[in-house]
Amino acid sequence: MSSKEENYTESDLRGLISSFREGLELYQTTLSSADAISKVKSSNVEEPDQELLKISKLLFAHATKLGIVFKPEVSTNAAYKQMKETSAVFLLLISLIGQIKPDVYSEIFYIEVIETIKKIISSHILFLNEVEELDFNKPAAEDDDTKTTEGRLVSVGMIWDNCKALDELVKGGKLGLLNKKLKESIGLIDDAISEFSEWVEDPTVVDDEDP
């Protein structure tokens, strides 16, 4: 016989928002310290980079669902369950960090992965800050044009962008990242040469920046 489905109150949901944000802030702090990262309990999967791909897609999908369940009038049950599921995905994500070894994937790739994951965490924290300001009981028709509703949608978009960035980073691998960095460096050099050439032609023309 199946157990009765639990009903969550607004207080339960707001408590979960607060605890989820605290967990994300702890992850953010952990990823800012090499020593702290080394102490994270690591998962044990054969292809951690491929697991990262799966998780980036999962978080993308979860962000879409979070955006939907937090559209006023908020269903506390649906929102609570979705947030619980999303927080579980982050546990998987953080546990993979220990398997992305700099000596295997390259130092530059490792650093880029860490920074991209930190951006995913930051955009989720922003989302939580936005939904915390919502009046969960106000009908959508009355809340569609409010600043908080717009903020919720913007933060979901940021999560999407950061998840896509992680997806592209992992798909490209260390060689793809190196190629991207080289192109960026070449672009900067080209711009500098172009500006220098213009200055050589007329040294009297100096903009507000350091010539």
Side-chain angles (χ1 to χ4, degrees), residues 65-133:
K65 293 177 182 178
L66 284 171
I68 293 170
V69 296
F70 275 99
K71 179 178 180 180
E73 181 176 352
V74 177
S75 165
T76 53
N77 262 18
Y80 190 97
K81 290 174 183 177
Q82 183 55 52
M83 189 161 287
K84 266 287 191 184
E85 290 177 11
T86 304
S87 64
V89 177
F90 270 98
L91 286 174
L92 295 174
L93 175 62
I94 301 304
S95 70
L96 280 172
I97 299 300
Q99 283 197 264
I100 306 297
K101 305 288 187 183
D103 56 342
V104 175
Y105 292 94
S106 85
E107 184 73 24
I108 188 173
F109 181 80
Y110 171 78
I111 292 172
E112 196 76 12
V113 166
I114 295 294
E115 290 304 311
T116 306
I117 291 175
K118 285 167 68 176
K119 289 178 182 177
I120 290 175
I121 294 173
S122 294
S123 52
H124 275 81
I125 291 173
L126 177 60
F127 173 82
L128 295 177
N129 291 341
E130 295 290 352
V131 298
E132 196 169 44
E133 298 300 317

Side-chain angles (χ1 to χ4, degrees), residues 30 33-42 94-95 97-98 101 110:
T30 298
S33 164
D35 183 57
I37 292 174
S38 68
K39 295 176 182 177
V40 173
K41 185 177 180 181
S42 178
I94 301 304
S95 70
I97 299 300
K101 305 288 187 183
Y110 171 78

Side-chain angles (χ1 to χ4, degrees), residues 125-204:
I125 291 173
L126 177 60
F127 173 82
L128 295 177
N129 291 341
E130 295 290 352
V131 298
E132 196 169 44
E133 298 300 317
L134 291 174
D135 181 345
F136 294 165
N137 300 306
K138 183 178 287 187
E142 298 178 22
D143 200 61
D144 275 346
D145 296 324
T146 65
K147 184 178 178 181
T148 49
T149 295
E150 291 174 359
R152 183 188 94 247
L153 298 177
V154 168
S155 57
V156 168
M158 291 176 64
I159 295 171
W160 284 342
D161 289 342
N162 291 325
C163 288
K164 287 179 183 176
L166 181 60
D167 184 86
E168 292 171 2
L169 172 62
V170 177
K171 282 181 178 177
K174 59 184 180 183
L175 293 180
L177 177 61
L178 180 59
N179 184 49
K180 178 184 176 183
K181 294 293 185 183
L182 286 172
K183 286 181 178 178
E184 290 175 353
S185 298
I186 291 170
L188 288 173
I189 293 171
D190 287 342
D191 289 343
I193 291 173
S194 176
E195 291 175 7
F196 180 72
S197 298
E198 291 175 5
W199 180 80
V200 168
E201 291 178 4
D202 188 359
T204 61

Side-chain angles (χ1 to χ4, degrees), residues 6-20:
E6 186 169 358
N7 289 315
Y8 298 100
T9 65
E10 179 174 337
S11 178
D12 292 331
L13 178 56
R14 291 194 180 278
L16 181 58
I17 291 172
S18 180
S19 62
F20 187 20

